[in-house]
Amino acid sequence: MAAKNSGARSKRTRRTSERPPPVQEPPLSRERIVTTAVELLDAQGIEGLTMRRLADRLGAGVMSLYWHVDKKEDVFDLALDAVLDYRASPPGNEPQDWRGEAIHMLEDWRASMLRHPWSASLLPRRVLGPNILSRLERLSQILSRAGVADTNLNAAIWSLWNYVMGATITRASFDVSDDDRAAAQQRLTRLSERYPTIERSRLLLDDDWNGAFRKGLGFLLDGLSPK
Amino acid sequence: MAAKNSGARSKRTRRTSERPPPVQEPPLSRERIVTTAVELLDAQGIEGLTMRRLADRLGAGVMSLYWHVDKKEDVFDLALDAVLDYRASPPGNEPQDWRGEAIHMLEDWRASMLRHPWSASLLPRRVLGPNILSRLERLSQILSRAGVADTNLNAAIWSLWNYVMGATITRASFDVSDDDRAAAQQRLTRLSERYPTIERSRLLLDDDWNGAFRKGLGFLLDGLSPK
DNA sequence: TATCGTATAGTACTTTGTACGAGTCAATCC
DNA sequence: GGATTGACTCGTACAAAGTACTATACGATA
């Protein structure tokens, strides 16, 4: 139990001499499992990931997965952190001012997750994988350099985190279909005496998500800027 | 199929004349199902809600539930909106300034959900139940009265929504155990060369969640205030 | 050669959501 | 009144899923 999966593994030297069926999958490994899990999640969504299907894709037996992973939950955790790999994001020509840097980094954060919409539904779990941590570290540095007071630093970090997570989850939830949104707005119009203000502003029909995200982020950064 | 559950139901006049076992549960209804589901969720968490257990608590057969509800998912949707009932929140003596009003209402929003931590993990689904809508309506009115420009109104609403949702989900995720947070911070200390800044600020040990929420909300409202 | 650690799988058990169809009872219609 | 209908309940059954248990294979080490 203690001996099983933990840390780096899968230094393997097998297959030095040929085996009868030479056309064979490479050996299982935590990395292969995670990569395939992400593929499967992209293809079939969160309900589509079952241990059996995952094993099939890997050309392995179901129970073999459990050598590398404790529970199905672990697969989800690993997949989520994998999606958030910051180094995988193109560096771009980052602006020099802290504001631009923060915007760039937070928009990339959101975009990375929206590229894999299932990842948002995994958020409500305690995740502090290495990739998330380095993003937080990065953010902290930017704000620190920007002159945010030390006493405000943690609150500032969390507020940006909250904003980004909330925006991502919301966007991903509404991603399912534009029709639904239209339907909701219609329902709203029918009840316009109960919800007059948001009906008038067509809150639910506004589909410039990216613009709204950036605008709101702007509000928050304005509030955060040292005066 | 079309005839089944839709809209108001369960006007029932049975049991006017006594039945042999007079000590009997009241008839099933969507409302009873939702109420009991919330109780069960409070007691056993999100994994604890199974249709069988729910039926047991109701003193009913499993399949009877399906007359009032299409799928298990519906139970979740209904439970989530039930928790967000705004009228159920104590009115309190609301301050007159728009800022205080907004803070009051948004803190109540978060608190209502944290009273039922499972509700946060239900968020990543498309929910626009009546209770959520009235909260959005309320928020819109407050901001509108505060003088937020019409062109900014929707973005302002969504940014507050994002902030509150993100904060709630985050808080609920970390609710599980303080030990985990300490463990994470330790892991972080071990890797302090990789995450020096957030290690130094003890980002993960800060446990004044309410204060941080209010502070961050302050930042955002500052940024939103018409200049 | 015997042993051990790593790794793979088959089988089987349990828990779940829910389809199907039969049943009950009150209200309605002839 | 008797038949019909529609609202509602529930037992049975099935398929899909997570995973415990166990047997097996193989390379490296003693």
Side-chain angles (χ1 to χ4, degrees), chain B residues 29-213:
Chain B
S29 72
R30 213 184 254 241
E31 293 77 37
R32 265 193 80 216
I33 292 181
V34 176
T35 311
T36 311
V38 171
E39 284 171 21
L40 188 51
L41 284 163
D42 284 342
Q44 313 232 30
I46 208 155
E47 302 287 339
L49 177 65
T50 72
M51 295 306 263
R52 281 172 233 262
R53 264 200 278 269
L54 184 53
D56 270 5
R57 274 207 178 211
L58 287 161
V62 198
M63 290 317 288
S64 309
L65 302 178
Y66 285 89
W67 179 258
H68 305 271
V69 146
D70 257 0
K71 318 186 292 303
K72 185 189 181 187
E73 279 220 329
D74 293 355
V75 179
F76 283 131
D77 286 346
L78 293 167
L80 176 57
D81 200 67
V83 157
L84 288 171
D85 189 347
Y86 192 39
R87 294 156 311 167
S89 292
N93 29 10
E94 300 201 13
Q96 284 309 311
D97 63 309
W98 73 271
R99 226 185 127 95
E101 247 181 279
I103 291 177
H104 175 87
M105 134 96 177
L106 295 171
E107 283 189 335
D108 172 82
W109 196 331
R110 170 169 172 271
S112 299
M113 295 194 59
L114 290 182
R115 244 174 270 131
H116 310 273
W118 47 267
S119 66
S121 18
L122 291 182
L123 269 185
R125 63 179 60 215
R126 182 181 60 280
V127 196
L128 285 175
N131 288 321
I132 292 192
L133 285 176
S134 32
R135 283 179 188 258
L136 285 174
E137 170 69 19
R138 182 67 179 281
L139 184 57
S140 179
Q141 286 171 4
I142 295 174
L143 293 175
S144 209
R145 253 188 295 127
V148 172
D150 272 4
T151 45
N152 282 342
L153 192 57
N154 282 351
I157 297 174
W158 283 126
S159 67
L160 286 166
W161 158 286
N162 290 338
Y163 179 77
V164 174
M165 292 304 131
T168 306
I169 287 185
T170 302
R171 175 63 230 258
S173 323
F174 282 94
D175 208 22
V176 200
S177 91
D178 290 329
D179 297 348
D180 288 347
R181 265 171 50 244
Q185 177 75 30
Q186 269 192 352
R187 183 155 45 98
L188 218 131
T189 306
R190 231 178 306 119
L191 300 174
S192 53
E193 68 279 6
R194 286 178 58 187
Y195 314 111
T197 321
I198 55 176
E199 198 274 328
R200 187 152 13 87
S201 73
R202 307 180 78 66
L203 179 67
L204 301 180
L205 285 180
D206 209 340
D207 62 352
D208 180 16
W209 293 93
N210 296 342
F213 176 77

Side-chain angles (χ1 to χ4, degrees), chain A residues 14 19 49-53 62-63 66 71-72:
Chain A
R14 241 202 290 167
R19 281 271 149 292
L49 177 65
T50 73
M51 295 306 264
R52 282 171 232 262
R53 262 201 279 269
V62 198
M63 292 317 290
Y66 285 89
K71 319 184 291 305
K72 187 189 181 187

Side-chain angles (χ1 to χ4, degrees), chain A residues 24-188:
Chain A
Q24 197 152 355
E25 309 279 349
L28 277 181
S29 72
R30 212 184 254 244
E31 292 75 37
R32 266 193 80 216
I33 292 181
V34 176
T35 312
T36 312
V38 170
E39 285 171 20
L40 188 52
L41 284 163
D42 284 343
Q44 312 231 32
I46 208 156
E47 302 288 337
L49 177 65
T50 73
M51 295 306 264
R52 282 171 232 262
R53 262 201 279 269
L54 184 52
D56 270 3
R57 274 209 179 209
L58 286 160
V62 198
M63 292 317 290
S64 309
L65 301 179
Y66 285 89
W67 180 260
H68 304 269
V69 146
D70 256 2
K71 319 184 291 305
K72 187 189 181 187
E73 279 221 328
D74 293 355
V75 179
F76 282 131
D77 286 345
L78 292 166
L80 176 56
D81 199 67
V83 157
L84 287 172
D85 190 349
Y86 192 37
R87 294 156 311 167
S89 292
N93 28 10
E94 299 201 14
Q96 284 309 312
D97 63 310
W98 73 272
R99 227 186 126 92
E101 246 180 280
I103 292 177
H104 176 86
M105 133 97 176
L106 295 170
E107 283 190 333
D108 171 82
W109 195 333
R110 172 170 171 270
S112 299
M113 296 194 59
L114 290 182
R115 244 173 270 130
H116 308 273
W118 46 268
S119 66
S121 17
L122 291 183
L123 269 187
R125 62 180 60 214
R126 180 181 60 282
V127 197
L128 286 175
N131 288 321
I132 292 192
L133 285 177
S134 34
R135 282 179 188 258
L136 285 175
E137 169 69 18
R138 182 68 179 284
L139 184 56
S140 179
Q141 285 170 4
I142 294 174
L143 293 175
S144 209
R145 251 188 295 126
V148 173
D150 271 5
T151 46
N152 282 342
L153 191 57
N154 282 352
I157 297 174
W158 283 125
S159 69
L160 286 166
W161 158 286
N162 289 339
Y163 179 77
V164 174
M165 291 305 132
T168 307
I169 287 185
T170 302
R171 176 63 231 257
S173 325
F174 282 93
D175 207 22
V176 200
S177 90
D178 290 330
D179 297 349
D180 287 348
R181 267 175 45 247
Q185 176 74 30
Q186 269 192 352
R187 184 156 43 102
L188 218 131

